[in-house]
Amino acid sequence: MTGRIVVVGYGMAGARLAAELHARDGDHRVTVLGAEPHRAYNRIMLSTLLAGRIDEPDLELVEAVGPGVDVRTGAPATAIDRTAREVRTADGARHGYDHLVLATGSRSVVPPLPGLDPLPDRVVPFRTLADCRRILAAARDARHALVLGGGLLGLEAARGLAARGLAVTVVHPVGHLMERQLDPPAGAVLADTLAALGVRARLGVPATGVTADADGVRLHLGDAGPLAADLLVLCCGVRPDTALAAAAGLTVERGVVVDDRMRTSDRRISAIGDCAQHDGTPTGLVAPAWAQARVVADVLAGGDPLVRYRPRPVVTRLKAAGIDLAAMGDVAGDPTGGGPVEELTFTDPARGTYARLRIRDERLTGAILLGDNPAVGTVVQLFDRGAPVPADRRSLLLGRAFGAAPAEPAASPALMPDAAVVCRCNDVSKGALVACWRAGARTVAALSAATRAATGCGGCREAVAGIVEWLAEADPPTTDEVRDPDANREAVEV
């Protein structure tokens, strides 16, 4: 496509789309409008920043932009004129487009509780870098923090604050934590694990109001007495930011409705990331957002004419020090069709270990793995690829072999198939990493730069490092490569 492309939103989806367009040939000019005043950053690593394990510069996304890409930060879009094909920004500027891409993301849900409108100084949602800065500023002089919401983000925030020495209590209205991903027994084991790490949980108690003053904040809990703290962090979910699209007359349900090519009801406008609703479902995760960015870039740059977005199975990982949790698929529902369902569970609360597998027609339809389980990589790969499970199911539950078949076919990188996905966020396979190694990328940093592996949630960094160590022994550099380490630099780019 030739002409003007405007991207509204400079978050993880918008930044990736700009990079994808820059990497493709085409006579197009790209303008990116970002509401936040700083460069794009890795939002899913904010909890790691909260824990003090990284600094702000480590959050910044290093995406390739250059001639033909005009990034404007601190320029929130205020209106879309579909007739004139223009986007207006808060400073009064008008940006004409031949194609518009909405990557407006989502906003924190602030529950309609008395005392939260307007938000008191000691109450902060956890969504943006600005939110994280406010939480860290309040935490410097705080001793006790409350987190409202026991979902994934709430637990990551709680663990981050506990790592800074605060006493943390998570308040959740449901009877167990992470109810969208976990069953009650897994939630109970997780609560015990968190308690050992300094995070208490008050479960099954609805919040009824908030009061805050110079002395602190109090969260009222129905019939129970209020909980007092120095800081209250709101992690009550997010909602797709569709206000701009709705005002422009686009079809909006929970998100901006898009087709398989990420086009909205106006064929000159696309939507990707958290704000988009594909096949009836918003995404809310980084891997689908980046896959959608690739699809739109192919469509706009005239690449593969048959390109379509196809969502992949979702694997949820809890990124918090001291907690190893993977949850995937459906472990509670009753899928229709096919053969009987096998249910396998193992619980060891004393060691913080829980495993549950749901198998149908020799394929995993769902799994929960909490605690130290060496089979987690194998389980994720089996679920991701829809591959048959081993005959001895106990090897997946316990991570040990109980027969002739190995329990962990990926225990060594040498045993991993080339098609095995190492980085789910960026869909990078072991084969791609090996190819880049042989092309000259000899460190974790070089492989990440070439393939983007480990630049999403960071959960695969250890796996990438393991592959580098294996390759260093199995496929050492040649004499020519040692003599001229930059000889293959061009071939490394993918």
Side-chain angles (χ1 to χ4, degrees):
M1 174 180 180
T2 61
R4 303 163 299 172
I5 300 172
V6 174
V7 181
V8 177
Y10 190 38
M12 298 182 75
R16 176 58 61 89
L17 176 60
E20 294 281 356
L21 289 169
H22 174 68
R24 288 163 169 77
D25 294 330
D27 184 17
H28 50 254
R29 301 186 307 277
V30 182
T31 300
V32 184
L33 306 175
E36 296 182 74
H38 30 251
R39 288 182 55 84
Y41 57 90
N42 190 333
R43 193 183 306 276
I44 58 179
M45 296 298 286
L46 286 175
S47 58
T48 311
L49 176 67
L50 197 62
R53 296 166 59 193
I54 60 173
D55 298 318
E56 279 196 19
D58 300 317
L59 289 175
E60 187 171 304
L61 292 176
V62 184
E63 297 287 6
V65 293
V69 179
D70 179 16
V71 176
R72 305 193 180 191
T73 58
T78 57
I80 300 169
D81 186 333
R82 291 167 55 193
T83 302
R85 295 208 296 273
E86 290 181 337
V87 178
R88 293 195 293 272
T89 51
D91 58 4
R94 294 172 177 262
H95 303 271
Y97 67 84
D98 295 297
H99 196 90
L100 172 65
V101 183
L102 300 178
T104 50
S106 55
R107 295 182 179 274
S108 294
V109 172
V110 176
L113 297 176
L116 291 185
D117 187 14
L119 283 177
D121 290 339
R122 294 176 181 269
V123 180
V124 189
F126 185 36
R127 177 65 181 165
T128 67
L129 178 56
D131 294 336
C132 195
R133 288 171 174 171
R134 287 183 58 200
I135 293 170
L136 289 173
R140 291 191 189 103
D141 300 320
R143 298 179 60 188
H144 188 194
L146 297 172
V147 176
L148 183 58
L152 184 67
L153 186 61
L155 299 187
E156 290 180 352
R159 183 68 185 103
L161 290 169
R164 290 184 173 269
L166 278 70
V168 182
T169 301
V170 173
V171 178
H172 194 49
V174 183
H176 69 280
L177 299 169
M178 290 183 62
E179 73 278 0
R180 292 186 179 180
Q181 295 87 15
L182 305 184
D183 56 17
V189 174
L190 179 58
D192 289 341
T193 300
L194 285 165
L197 296 171
V199 178
R200 296 176 57 239
R202 290 287 300 271
L203 303 173
V205 288
T208 58
V210 175
T211 55
D213 53 34
D215 295 326
V217 60
R218 289 167 297 283
L219 181 65
H220 301 274
L221 303 177
D223 295 337
L227 294 177
D230 305 299
L231 167 68
L232 171 61
V233 178
L234 301 179
C235 297
C236 303
V238 296
R239 182 175 294 119
D241 190 348
T242 61
L244 198 65
L250 300 177
T251 300
V252 172
E253 295 175 355
R254 285 188 294 166
V256 184
V257 176
V258 295
D259 62 13
D260 288 351
R261 292 166 71 84
M262 307 312 295
R263 298 173 301 188
T264 70
S265 53
D266 183 330
R267 289 299 181 260
R268 289 187 177 270
I269 303 177
S270 300
I272 61 174
D274 286 7
C275 71
Q277 176 182 314
H278 174 266
D279 197 21
T281 306
T283 59
L285 298 171
V286 65
W290 284 349
Q292 292 168 2
R294 288 192 295 270
V295 169
V296 171
D298 277 343
V299 169
L300 297 183
D304 182 0
L306 301 179
V307 66
R308 298 289 189 274
Y309 170 65
R310 292 291 183 262
R312 294 181 56 190
V314 174
V315 177
T316 300
R317 302 297 295 263
L318 178 56
K319 299 173 294 298
I323 305 172
D324 190 358
L325 169 64
M328 62 212 78
D330 179 18
V331 293
D334 184 19
T336 58
V341 174
E342 295 181 53
E343 295 274 5
L344 298 93
T345 60
F346 173 79
T347 307
D348 186 352
R351 291 180 172 80
T353 301
Y354 178 85
R356 181 177 179 185
L357 306 178
R358 190 177 178 90
I359 300 169
R360 190 167 209 164
D361 297 328
E362 297 299 310
R363 265 69 174 175
L364 277 170
T365 63
I368 298 171
L369 296 174
L370 174 60
D372 184 16
N373 189 324
V376 63
T378 298
V379 172
V380 171
Q381 291 293 331
L382 291 172
F383 175 75
D384 198 40
R385 293 183 293 164
V389 297
D392 191 336
R393 319 301 205 214
R394 293 171 297 175
S395 63
L396 300 179
L397 278 178
L398 306 176
R400 297 195 302 270
F402 286 89
E408 178 60 31
S412 166
L415 300 176
M416 293 174 63
D418 282 349
V421 177
V422 178
C423 175
R424 288 181 54 85
C425 293
N426 289 286
D427 196 21
V428 180
S429 67
K430 174 206 167 183
L433 292 171
V434 171
C436 285
W437 169 275
R438 291 173 177 165
R442 300 295 183 176
T443 65
V444 173
L447 285 175
S448 293
T451 65
R452 291 179 171 145
T455 62
C457 71
C460 66
R461 184 170 296 278
E462 289 185 7
V464 175
I467 289 173
V468 168
E469 293 177 4
W470 163 66
L471 286 170
E473 296 181 4
D475 188 24
T478 65
T479 303
D480 290 341
E481 289 171 333
V482 173
R483 184 182 302 117
D484 184 5
D486 292 330
N488 292 316
R489 183 178 300 275
E490 183 176 351
V492 171
E493 297 301 324
V494 296

